[in-house]
Amino acid sequence: MAGGRSQRAAAATTTTMCGGCGAYLTVPPGARSVRCALCRAVTRVERRPHGLHHAAVGFVKGLISSIVSPQPTPSPSASLRLGGAAGRLPASYPRVLGRKKRALLVGISYAGTKYELRGAVNDVNCMGYLLRERFGFPADCILVLTQDEKDPDRLPTKDNLRLAMRWLVEGTVAGDSLVFHFSGHGVQKLDKNGDEVDGYDEALCPMDFEDRGVILDDEINATVVRPLGPGVKLHAIIDTCHSGTILDLPYLCRISRTGYWQWENHSRGEPKCTSGGLAISISGCGDSQTSQDTTALSGSTSTGAMTYSFIKAVESEPGTTYGRLLTAMRATIRDSGGEFGIPGPIGTFFRRVITFSCAQEPQLCASEPFDIYRKPFLL
């Protein structure tokens, strides 16, 4: 969507309907055309003296229209409040209203394709066990999407993943703790609306991405970050390639091998913030890097290197801080030989001289800066 991911001043914007999918689009002042972030169609703008000044509402209407129908639909918030059919969450999804902890775990193997991964479902199983046993997440508050599921609403298709992300944040209140774990493929796409520092959007690949397309970070931010109200906390643990800023959070933490750290503000144009809550992402690598599906870390069992290193760091030091967690994850991946997997003295040499820009390096992003060596890691 042209214009980005938060409300503009009412007097400065109008909306128009996408000629391709029917979504409502925010039109920047003076624009003669606008590109839809959902279907990529370009719609010519008919200039009017008075527009409808509701950019945020238009955006969420666009999300729902792409999920359920190519025709214009009511906003998802209205549908959920009034029980409308548009974008209704599947009845088989866990009922979590009033529960303080919930999690969405997605593992995609892409079975039968040239993109097949062997460790993604293992990652989800391990993460589910960790959340239940270490952090007290009730089993009936965890929604799992994998290609092993028998329920068609729990297959990790593009439509189901969109609905599941909405399920994760629907009806949250102060004190709620949310976890979004994704293990699969990630890609970069050319940024169309000028809100990326490096010129590329990051995206998640559903199981049907070859037919239906990917889910851009713009949409992920709008769906699971911006709705977070005061006192609500989200942790996203993303084990994919090109995942450094996959939630489009405004702050990226740079950490050197010597422990020096600082937050970088990656906001460009409009802010990408919550509605008063806290969002933190721990991702498998930088935006320009790739993540590994490997047996090198856990023996004969295939896992994502990032997921394995995350679980190992949490289990090795209960009550750790975010800084120590990230440092331990990076050390696990680096000491295993990284993506080279070279044993012995030669492997040691490579690990010493290789730059972080070449190796897989887990990243930390947040909706607000904090002291990473003082703030305890809690889910």
Side-chain angles (χ1 to χ4, degrees), residues 49-189:
H50 299 287
L52 300 176
H53 307 307
H54 50 275
V57 174
F59 182 85
V60 292
K61 285 184 178 179
L63 284 182
I64 288 303
S65 70
S66 69
I67 294 172
V68 299
S69 169
Q71 302 300 320
T73 63
S75 71
S77 57
S79 171
L80 293 171
R81 287 196 306 269
L82 302 176
R88 180 178 293 169
L89 299 178
S92 63
Y93 283 13
R95 298 180 180 274
V96 292
L97 294 182
R99 311 291 290 273
K100 303 311 292 181
K101 293 189 175 187
R102 68 180 82 168
L104 169 61
L105 311 181
V106 183
I108 310 180
S109 61
Y110 311 94
T113 74
K114 62 183 178 180
Y115 309 105
E116 185 166 357
L117 295 173
R118 296 183 178 181
V121 176
N122 291 333
D123 289 346
V124 163
N125 293 335
C126 293
M127 187 63 67
Y129 183 85
L130 179 76
L131 293 179
R132 294 190 304 271
E133 300 300 320
R134 173 65 68 186
F135 295 103
F137 279 68
D140 60 355
C141 292
I142 299 176
L143 174 59
V144 175
L145 303 186
T146 72
Q147 288 172 265
D148 293 344
E149 296 293 323
K150 304 302 182 184
D151 181 352
D153 290 326
R154 297 189 181 217
L155 294 174
T157 64
K158 185 174 184 178
D159 285 351
N160 286 347
L161 184 51
R162 282 171 158 170
L163 289 169
M165 289 192 295
R166 281 182 44 220
W167 167 88
L168 184 64
V169 300
E170 178 197 345
T172 52
V173 297
D176 286 356
S177 177
L178 320 175
V179 170
F180 175 31
H181 173 241
F182 184 97
S183 180
H185 284 303
V187 296
Q188 287 186 306
K189 294 287 187 178

Side-chain angles (χ1 to χ4, degrees), residues 7 28 104 139 363:
Q7 294 183 5
L104 169 61
Q363 303 291 316

